[in-house]
């Protein structure tokens, strides 16, 4: 049967244009996949660095985010909260940046010597995601499905479409984020008839929708939300609380931009850490030249700050049930998506509102993007039937520097499936890279099973100069193909592994999973220790060189603080016991203590270049 879709046969990207992070994917070999960038990361921070000199390259993603402390007025984050908004609508209070424009006109973001529209920021993110996709699938693309909050109005939706056009993409469909999440949720429930609520609390927006799933059809029964409510609000409230704890006498809103950024970064770290632990220590050495600060924050304190913000989701939840004409007990599931739903406080609130434990089966950061990919596949005709074939019984990955297991295809990935990452040489002068292929659930490579090895030669050079792309592809017959490509020569090395990737005895699978659970804490501690050790061994010599380079540009007091912190790192490295958390903490302290040092180095380099 032929399809009437005008997009039949053309690849259509699925894009989650998020407030905090964005993702892109496509249907490949009949299966929806999310695509990783050259660093092997699927999540792209929704951050854009606009250079001081117009015409210089614009930077998007992690690199832009790293520049936020040094150039706070030029790194734009959370612009989604302003897209399609007009001056006088309250958009100014939703922004961490200076805005301008006449009442009734679209909001603009001031960059000092110029201004940009929020849709221009979105366009740069979409352009970056388009490039990532084209590099991964090795084909040009011109069409995309883009998700938006369900409560976006027409102006906000149209602004999103214009952003796509500026990025060189035809936005063939705008999909509500909860609907996209429901598509991902319903992928393996196509024969069921059920009614679900999707509670989506992201970085900058909140949506709650009730949908009915029946025979692969997804019907939205009601939706509510708040386009100015999300994790950003918690970050800013907690940063203000930290500001007060530091003993500052001025109001948080009056904090200098470069100082405010550091407090917001600290708040973000606290929020993430306290989703897993009960307390977290914040250390902020020399956040101003004459001021340092440290405090232990408990989960209870975080929840006291966050509760009034999270409680704002109650009313939309009540309204969506009323609009759908149902009681909470009529729901078959309440599905959580959005990064902020990792907070225990949010999960407790959802359980309280709906009288049931929330369904956390969906990846909070990826479910919306996966749904967008599915919608794109339906429109292009590449997803004609959404059926499950088989799954990988155990995770598949490779050994990375330090003897750790790097998972490329997680356990229970539906096949056929394809995923890949980019790796670089860890040591200067290295002549080849041994791609050690592993199967298992343990954190340490040696505790998993070896499936094979591929050796990729390359020209010796500095650390990080060689780039090897590794792609795992499992077909519907369970055959694993590992492709390793030297990106300098485009030479491919391929290893085919039959049966063992999927055809594993149940007893062996159960034994591996049982061992992973039994040793989970020890394994994770060893991984944290190894990652912190590798970072410390890289950071310490760089700090020594930097201190020597800056000379008298830093005061003796500032230099001594850095040297003392570096000494604490060396002490932990030399300790006989592997205290992972202690090492990670002192490495984080050293990282924070050298932020001003990094800024001075950049300034010195610019001065030297000018000479």
């Amino acid at each position: 049967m032929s399809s009437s879709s005008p997009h039949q046969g053309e690849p259509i990207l699925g894009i989650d244009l998020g407030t905090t992070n964005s993702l892109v994917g496509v249907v490949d070999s009949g299966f929806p996949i999310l695509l990783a960038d050259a660093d092997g990361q699927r999540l792209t921070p929704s951050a854009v660095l606009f250079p001081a000199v117009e015409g210089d390259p614009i930077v998007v993603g992690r690199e832009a985010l790293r520049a936020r402390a040094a150039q706070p007025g030029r790194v734009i984050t959370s612009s989604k909260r302003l897209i399609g908004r007009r001056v006088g609508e309250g958009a100014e209070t939703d922004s961490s940046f200076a805005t301008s424009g006449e009442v009734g006109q679209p909001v603009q973001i001031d960059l000092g010597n110029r201004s940009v529209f929020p849709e221009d920021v979105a366009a740069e993110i979409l352009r970056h995601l388009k490039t990532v996709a084209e590099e991964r699938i090795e084909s040009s693309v011109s069409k995309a499905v883009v998700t938006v909050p369900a409560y976006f109005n027409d102006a906000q939706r149209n602004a999103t479409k214009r952003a796509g056009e500026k990025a060189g993409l035809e936005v063939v469909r705008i999909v509500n984020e909860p609907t996209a999440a429901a598509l991902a949720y319903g992928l393996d429930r196509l024969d069921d008839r059920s009614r679900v609520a999707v509670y989506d609390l992201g970085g900058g927006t909140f949506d709650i929708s009730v949908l009915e799933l029946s025979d692969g059809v997804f019907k939205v029964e009601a939706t509510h939300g708040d386009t100015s409510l999300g994790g950003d609000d918690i970050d800013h409230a907690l940063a203000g609380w930290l500001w007060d704890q530091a003993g500052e006498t001025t109001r948080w809103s009056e904090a200098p931009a470069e100082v405010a950024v550091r407090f917001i970064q600290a708040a973000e770290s606290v929020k993430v850490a306290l989703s897993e632990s009960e307390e977290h220590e914040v250390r902020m050495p020399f956040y101003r030249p004459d001021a340092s600060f440290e405090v232990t924050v408990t989960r209870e304190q975080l929840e006291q700050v966050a509760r009034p913000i999270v409680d704002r989701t109650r009313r939309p939840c009540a309204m969506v049930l009323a609009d759908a004409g149902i009681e909470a007990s009529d729901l078959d599931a309440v599905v959580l998506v959005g990064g902020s739903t990792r907070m225990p406080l949010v999960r407790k609130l959802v359980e309280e509102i709906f009288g049931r434990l929330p369904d956390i089966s969906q990846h909070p950061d990826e479910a919306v993007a996966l749904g967008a990919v599915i919608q794109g596949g339906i429109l292009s005709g590449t997803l004609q039937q959404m059926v499950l074939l088989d799954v990988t019984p155990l995770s598949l990955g490779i050994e990375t520097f330090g003897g750790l297991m790097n998972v490329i295809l997680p356990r229970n990935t539906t096949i056929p499936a394809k995923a890949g990452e980019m790796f670089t040489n860890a040591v200067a002068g290295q002549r080849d890279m041994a791609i050690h292929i592993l199967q298992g659930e343990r954190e340490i490579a040696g505790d998993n099973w070896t499936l094979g090895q591929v050796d990729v030669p390359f020209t010796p050079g500095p650390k990080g100069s060689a780039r090897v792309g590794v792609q795992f592809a499992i077909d519907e017959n369970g055959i694993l193909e590992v492709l390793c490509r030297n990106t300098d020569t485009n030479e491919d090395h391929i290893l085919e592994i039959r049966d063992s990737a999927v055809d594993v005895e149940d007893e062996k699978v159960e034994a591996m999973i049982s061992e992973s659970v039994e040793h989970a804490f020890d394994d994770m501690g060893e991984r944290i220790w190894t990652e912190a050790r590798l970072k410390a061994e890289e950071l310490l010599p760089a700090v020594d060189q930097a201190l020597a380079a800056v000379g008298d540009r830093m005061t003796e007091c500032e230099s001594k603080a850095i040297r003392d912190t570096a000494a604490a790192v060396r002490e932990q490295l030399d300790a006989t016991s592997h205290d992972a958390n202690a090492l990670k903490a002192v490495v984080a302290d050293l990282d924070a203590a050298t932020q001003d040092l990094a800024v001075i180095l950049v300034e010195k380099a610019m001065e030297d270049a000018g000479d």
Side-chain angles (χ1 to χ4, degrees):
M1 181 183 296
S2 63
S3 170
S4 60
S5 170
H7 313 293
Q8 182 74 22
E10 299 179 59
I12 298 178
L13 300 179
I15 295 177
D16 174 12
L17 182 62
T19 305
T20 307
N21 295 294
S22 297
L23 301 96
V24 62
V26 72
V27 171
D28 188 286
S29 303
F31 188 75
I33 60 169
L34 299 179
L35 302 170
D37 61 18
D39 295 323
Q41 301 294 320
R42 290 192 289 268
L43 284 178
T44 294
S46 300
V48 180
L49 167 61
F50 289 90
V53 179
E54 197 166 355
D56 282 359
I58 293 171
V59 180
V60 178
R62 282 177 295 282
E63 190 177 345
L65 207 56
R66 284 194 289 268
R68 188 167 54 160
Q71 303 183 67
R74 297 200 163 275
V75 179
I76 307 302
T77 58
S78 303
S79 62
K80 179 176 174 179
R81 301 186 77 162
L82 302 179
I83 195 166
R85 305 280 293 276
R86 295 181 179 273
V87 178
E89 293 178 345
E92 302 87 341
T93 60
D94 287 337
S95 173
S96 303
F97 307 98
T99 57
S100 62
E102 298 178 2
V103 174
Q105 294 299 310
V107 169
Q108 298 183 56
I109 301 171
D110 288 334
L111 296 173
N113 60 338
R114 58 192 164 117
S115 60
V116 295
F117 292 103
E119 66 188 63
D120 295 326
V121 182
E124 295 298 336
I125 298 168
L126 291 170
R127 187 177 290 112
H128 175 82
L129 295 174
K130 178 177 183 287
T131 300
V132 167
E134 290 176 337
E135 289 176 350
R136 296 281 77 76
I137 67 176
E138 299 180 337
S139 174
S140 61
V141 288
S142 61
K143 297 183 177 183
V145 169
V146 180
T147 62
V148 298
Y151 236 48
F152 255 23
N153 58 31
D154 286 342
Q156 292 167 306
R157 292 168 188 268
N158 288 331
T160 303
K161 291 193 74 170
R162 287 195 301 272
E165 292 166 3
K166 290 180 178 181
L169 288 168
E170 177 189 355
V171 181
V172 298
R173 183 73 56 87
I174 292 284
V175 178
N176 289 345
E177 289 166 2
T179 305
L183 278 170
Y185 172 81
L187 184 60
D188 58 347
R189 299 170 174 82
L190 296 178
D191 295 328
D192 294 348
R193 182 183 181 90
S194 58
R195 180 181 279 124
V196 301
V198 178
Y199 182 103
D200 182 358
L201 185 61
T205 60
F206 169 66
D207 281 321
I208 177 72
S209 294
V210 172
L211 303 98
E212 185 177 67
L213 286 61
S214 179
D215 299 323
V217 177
F218 300 78
K219 178 186 176 185
V220 180
E221 295 190 333
T223 188
H224 271 279
D226 188 333
T227 57
S228 300
L229 173 62
D232 283 359
D233 300 287
I234 297 172
D235 295 339
H236 282 270
L238 184 58
W241 182 84
L242 289 172
W243 179 258
D244 292 338
Q245 298 303 303
E248 292 290 340
T249 55
T250 59
R251 290 185 299 177
W252 161 239
S253 59
E254 298 170 353
E258 64 276 6
V259 176
V261 164
R262 290 192 60 185
F263 274 81
I264 291 170
Q265 289 173 329
E268 292 168 350
S269 299
V270 168
K271 185 179 69 176
V272 171
L274 293 182
S275 291
E276 301 293 337
S277 58
E278 291 294 331
E279 63 180 38
H280 180 72
E281 190 161 3
V282 175
R283 296 185 180 93
M284 298 182 64
F286 299 104
Y287 65 87
R288 285 192 283 105
D290 59 344
S292 298
F293 167 59
E294 61 180 71
V295 66
T296 298
V297 184
T298 66
R299 181 183 289 177
E300 181 180 0
Q301 289 171 320
L302 167 64
E303 292 184 349
Q304 287 175 352
V305 173
R307 190 176 303 279
I309 298 165
V310 177
D311 275 345
R312 287 167 55 192
T313 68
R314 288 180 180 273
R315 186 169 179 271
C317 290
M319 293 176 69
V320 81
L321 292 174
D323 288 355
I326 61 172
E327 301 291 336
S329 57
D330 295 326
L331 295 169
D332 296 294
V334 180
V335 182
L336 297 189
V337 292
S340 297
T341 61
R342 287 187 174 91
M343 293 182 67
L345 172 66
V346 173
R347 296 182 177 185
K348 285 186 289 187
L349 180 80
V350 171
E351 181 180 358
E352 181 182 329
I353 293 173
F354 294 98
R356 64 187 307 137
L357 286 171
D359 183 316
I360 55 173
S361 62
Q362 300 307 295
H363 193 297
D365 295 320
E366 298 182 353
V368 169
L370 186 61
V373 174
I374 293 169
Q375 179 65 69
I378 293 170
L379 292 174
S380 67
T382 53
L383 254 188
Q384 297 175 0
Q385 290 184 333
M386 293 188 291
V387 297
L388 293 179
L389 300 173
D390 203 349
V391 297
T392 55
L394 293 169
S395 299
L396 298 164
I398 71 170
E399 179 178 356
T400 56
F401 190 60
L404 299 176
M405 164 77 155
N406 185 94
V407 174
I408 291 180
L409 286 174
R411 176 175 177 261
N412 284 337
T413 295
T414 305
I415 62 173
K418 183 187 294 183
E421 292 188 24
M422 190 72 68
F423 297 90
T424 64
N425 57 312
V427 179
Q430 202 172 323
R431 294 181 175 275
D432 57 29
M433 189 181 299
I435 309 299
H436 183 198
I437 301 150
L438 302 169
Q439 181 177 41
E441 302 305 311
R442 303 291 296 277
E443 298 290 338
I444 308 304
D447 294 328
N448 294 299
W449 304 332
T450 296
L451 295 184
Q453 181 167 308
V454 180
D455 293 317
V456 182
F458 45 73
T459 304
K463 175 184 175 181
S465 60
R467 294 165 66 83
V468 175
V470 178
Q471 177 181 273
F472 281 27
I474 301 183
D475 65 16
E476 61 275 7
N477 298 313
I479 298 173
L480 171 64
E481 180 186 87
V482 179
L483 181 150
C484 307
R485 174 174 298 168
N486 182 333
T487 59
D488 286 338
T489 63
N490 283 328
E491 181 182 3
D492 290 343
H493 302 262
I494 299 174
L495 177 66
E496 186 175 275
I497 301 169
R498 293 180 173 269
D499 302 328
S500 56
V502 172
D503 188 13
V504 185
E505 294 178 10
D506 291 346
E507 293 81 3
K508 290 185 177 180
V509 172
E510 290 172 8
M512 172 59 78
I513 295 171
S514 176
E515 287 176 12
S516 73
V517 172
E518 181 182 350
H519 299 285
F521 289 106
D522 292 339
D523 284 1
M524 185 53 66
E526 192 62 27
R527 171 177 279 275
I528 294 171
W529 164 266
T530 302
E531 289 174 344
R533 174 177 61 80
L534 293 173
K535 183 171 182 179
E537 290 172 348
E538 182 177 10
L539 192 56
L540 285 169
V543 170
D544 291 340
Q545 292 174 13
L547 283 172
V550 299
D552 60 1
R553 288 172 178 257
M554 293 192 83
T555 67
E556 179 58 33
C557 180
E558 291 170 331
S559 298
K560 183 179 184 302
I562 293 173
R563 285 194 296 269
D564 289 348
T565 310
V569 173
R570 290 188 173 92
E571 184 179 336
Q572 283 296 330
L573 282 174
D574 294 338
T576 53
S577 62
H578 285 188
D579 188 337
N581 289 328
L583 178 59
K584 186 177 179 182
V586 292
V587 169
D589 289 348
L590 183 58
D591 211 5
T594 55
Q595 285 194 8
D596 291 338
L597 178 61
V599 173
I600 293 171
L601 278 175
V602 171
E603 292 172 348
K604 183 176 183 299
M606 293 175 67
E607 290 172 6
D608 293 344
D611 295 338

